[in-house]
Amino acid sequence: MRFLTRGLIGLVLLAIMASTIGYGVYRVSTAMNQEEARRRPPVQERTYAVNVSSLTSETVAPITTAYGQVESWRSLEIRASSEGQLVGVASKFRDGAAVKGGELLVRIDPADAQSELLDAQAAQADAEAHKAEAEEAIVVAEQELVAAEKQLELRRQALDRQTQLREKGYSTMVQVEQEQLSVAALEQALSNRLQSVITSRKNVERMELGVARARIAVQDAERTLEETTITAPFSGTLDQVNATLGRRVSSSETLAVLIDPTALEVKFSVSTQQFSRFLDDAGRLIQVPVEAQLDLGDRVVSVPGTLDRAAAVVATGEAGRTLFASLDVDADTPLRPGDFLTVKLEEPALENVAVIPASAASEDGRILVVDEERRLGAAQARVLRRMGDQLVVTDVPFGQLYVRERLPHLSAGLKVTPRVVGTPGEAPEAAETSQGGPKPASGPAAPEDLVTLEPERRDALIARLSESRMPEERKARLINILNQPKVPSEVLERIENGRGRGERS
């Protein structure tokens, strides 16, 4: 009985001891968890700072960029009109020289041309003399014709008298026949005189043709003599000059090419889709403004122009269309035929569209928008034009904020800190209010966004930045911010979360 009692007492004591040890372990564990919870800051949802802008509906005239070559639509080959020796060459007759209209260029030896002119003038004088003789001959022939007519009239009167005398018996038949033969002979002579008059008149006409031919020959000789002196028909620039004093040139030999520097146009190619943007409803090419740019290294020369026409045919294997634009240039333009230009064409205006950076959208036109709770959402935009690093889009939620740079770690549903970006080059600033909505980029930071750091915490953050691998310039900028009396809470959050590398100040 005593043994049983002692056993029960031992079990009770063992139970009490186990309970005491368990309670102690529980208290120690609870105290450690509470201490750890007290030291560990509360877990917050991670946010990302993003640059945003508002989707604004506007009217935009897109710019199509193409590349082309300058051509001259007014050029002239200066050729030698006759064979001869060059006896005069102007000092300006050189490649690249600018000449004025009517200015002397070269002179060919005029000796042969002068001889041809003298021969032509002598031939003209001879033809005029023959014409004068023919005119005098026709006067004589007409006088002889009049005399023959008078003689014929007298013979006819004599025949009538002989016929009357024979009827009265005072004349014989022989006398009448003699008068008849005389009349027939005079009629034959009159016919010959008439033929002479006609021949003389035809000779005069032939002589007039000969005189006309002689005059034409004289004019040709005079023109040939004038063309021995070659002048510039219009103001321009010389190219491909091939003339040396004393050299003998042949007829129609090319001596130079004269190019009008004010008659320039640019020839360029566009795709079929781009070509369709410059057609009206009737399919006709519209005249739109053009800006041609010549890159000269440190300087870019811009020349205005107008879209003029399209090529008549499409070459085999060529895609798109070839267009021509006339350029508004003066004689002092630095442009030359053969220059390679960048051509910018202003398309017809597009209404109810937005212009966003190309980095804000994916290849298929998806963009990220920020809702009222500062969370990202996806929106599908329709890309109308791509202009360099900008996109012209439509079918977007106008008035809503969108992310200007679509980074790989951003996706729908994430919470962000918007930074509204205004005009290009303006520094982004925090765009949040106490209600969570955006505020103007120019507004000051809210007082609750600034935190006063304890010296130990400041030193720890500075040491953490010093050991990081971020660029030295950004590291120095963040350390300078931490040394301020009050530090923005966003900067502290980014540094403590290990995202100081992406901080923008």
Side-chain angles (χ1 to χ4, degrees):
M1 188 67 182
R2 184 179 297 178
F3 174 77
L4 181 59
T5 302
R6 290 180 179 178
L8 292 174
I9 292 173
L11 290 174
V12 171
L13 293 175
L14 182 61
I16 293 173
M17 183 180 61
S19 300
T20 303
I21 293 174
Y23 179 72
V25 171
Y26 168 75
R27 291 298 302 273
V28 171
S29 176
T30 302
M32 292 178 63
N33 291 335
Q34 290 178 352
E35 180 65 19
E36 183 179 359
R38 185 179 64 83
R39 292 182 179 179
R40 184 174 56 190
V43 177
Q44 297 181 354
E45 183 180 0
R46 186 175 184 178
T47 61
Y48 297 88
V50 292
N51 294 331
V52 298
S53 294
S54 179
L55 291 169
T56 305
S57 177
E58 54 186 321
T59 300
V60 178
I63 302 297
T64 296
T65 302
Y67 302 94
Q69 196 170 18
V70 177
E71 295 182 351
S72 176
W73 53 265
R74 187 186 185 193
S75 60
L76 175 69
E77 288 186 351
I78 299 177
R79 295 178 176 269
S81 59
S82 59
E83 183 180 359
Q85 185 180 11
L86 294 180
V87 296
V89 178
S91 58
K92 287 186 177 181
F93 199 65
R94 294 174 292 175
D95 284 341
V99 295
K100 296 182 179 180
E103 188 172 353
L104 175 64
L105 300 180
V106 295
R107 186 189 301 275
I108 303 175
D109 188 1
D112 295 339
Q114 289 175 349
S115 298
E116 293 179 0
L117 177 60
L118 293 176
D119 291 342
Q121 289 175 346
Q124 180 182 2
D126 184 64
E128 290 177 349
H130 283 84
K131 177 183 176 183
E133 293 178 358
E135 290 175 349
E136 292 176 357
I138 194 173
V139 172
V140 174
E142 288 176 349
Q143 291 176 354
E144 291 179 351
L145 178 62
V146 172
E149 289 177 347
K150 290 180 178 179
Q151 291 178 4
L152 179 61
E153 183 64 23
L154 292 175
R155 283 296 180 181
R156 286 176 176 173
Q157 292 177 2
L159 177 60
D160 292 340
R161 286 194 299 272
Q162 289 294 334
T163 302
Q164 292 175 1
L165 291 174
R166 181 179 177 282
E167 292 176 352
K168 293 179 181 181
Y170 296 107
S171 177
T172 63
M173 188 62 183
V174 174
Q175 293 176 338
V176 173
E177 289 177 353
Q178 289 178 351
E179 292 296 333
Q180 290 177 346
L181 291 174
S182 298
V183 170
L186 289 176
E187 289 178 349
Q188 181 65 35
L190 179 63
S191 177
N192 293 336
R193 295 291 182 270
L194 180 60
Q195 182 64 37
S196 297
V197 171
I198 295 174
T199 302
S200 298
R201 289 176 179 174
K202 294 302 180 181
N203 286 335
V204 171
E205 293 179 359
R206 283 194 293 270
M207 292 301 105
E208 289 178 349
L209 293 176
V211 171
R213 292 192 185 96
R215 289 175 181 172
I216 293 174
V218 171
Q219 293 175 358
D220 290 340
E222 291 176 347
R223 184 173 63 254
T224 302
L225 181 60
E226 292 177 356
E227 290 176 348
T228 57
T229 301
I230 301 177
T231 59
F234 55 84
S235 299
T237 306
L238 294 173
D239 185 34
Q240 303 178 22
V241 175
N242 181 24
T244 305
L245 188 63
R247 186 171 72 87
R248 189 172 186 84
V249 297
S250 59
S251 179
S252 299
E253 181 179 350
T254 302
L255 302 179
V257 176
L258 183 62
I259 300 174
D260 189 352
T262 63
L264 298 181
E265 61 184 11
V266 57
K267 177 183 178 181
F268 57 96
S269 298
V270 296
S271 65
T272 306
Q273 182 179 6
Q274 292 174 334
F275 176 70
S276 64
R277 301 171 186 170
F278 301 101
L279 300 177
D280 58 13
D281 295 338
R284 295 185 296 267
L285 192 67
I286 58 178
Q287 307 296 318
V288 298
V290 172
E291 181 182 3
Q293 296 180 347
L294 174 63
D295 189 0
L296 298 178
D298 297 336
R299 182 180 178 184
V300 176
V301 179
S302 297
V303 177
T306 306
L307 185 61
D308 188 15
R309 66 192 186 280
V313 297
V314 179
T316 304
E318 181 179 354
R321 292 292 187 274
T322 299
L323 302 179
F324 297 86
S326 58
L327 301 178
D328 301 331
V329 295
D330 51 21
D332 298 329
T333 178
L335 297 183
R336 292 293 183 270
D339 280 338
F340 190 74
L341 303 182
T342 301
V343 185
K344 296 184 177 180
L345 300 89
E346 182 177 332
E347 301 180 18
L350 300 176
E351 298 180 353
N352 196 26
V353 297
V355 180
I356 65 174
S359 59
S362 60
E363 290 296 329
D364 56 355
R366 289 177 297 169
I367 62 175
L368 296 175
V369 296
V370 182
D371 58 15
E372 297 179 354
E373 297 180 356
R374 295 187 298 172
R375 292 191 180 275
L376 296 180
Q380 181 66 46
R382 183 160 60 93
V383 180
L384 299 180
R385 298 288 188 276
R386 295 182 182 272
M387 303 185 303
D389 57 351
Q390 291 184 331
L391 302 177
V392 179
V393 298
T394 187
D395 297 340
V396 294
F398 292 109
Q400 194 169 355
L401 297 177
Y402 71 95
V403 179
R404 295 178 58 88
E405 186 176 2
R406 189 184 178 99
L407 299 175
H409 62 272
L410 298 179
S411 62
L414 294 179
K415 191 172 184 180
V416 295
T417 302
R419 289 175 173 269
V420 175
V421 177
T423 57
E426 180 181 354
E429 298 183 5
E432 49 188 342
T433 62
S434 57
Q435 290 79 15
K439 67 177 181 180
S442 59
E448 58 271 21
D449 290 337
L450 299 178
V451 178
T452 302
L453 289 180
E454 298 178 356
E456 295 80 3
R457 188 179 179 187
R458 179 182 287 108
D459 295 340
L461 292 174
I462 292 176
R464 183 173 182 178
L465 285 175
S466 300
E467 297 174 355
S468 65
R469 298 181 180 178
M470 70 174 58
E472 294 297 332
E473 181 181 355
R474 184 173 299 176
K475 185 188 300 183
R477 186 167 63 250
L478 292 176
I479 292 176
N480 186 30
I481 294 175
L482 292 176
N483 287 327
Q484 300 298 325
K486 292 186 177 182
V487 180
S489 59
E490 183 182 353
V491 175
L492 295 178
E493 180 182 354
R494 295 180 66 87
I495 295 176
E496 291 177 345
N497 291 336
R499 294 182 287 124
R501 177 179 294 271
E503 176 61 26
R504 295 184 182 179
S505 59

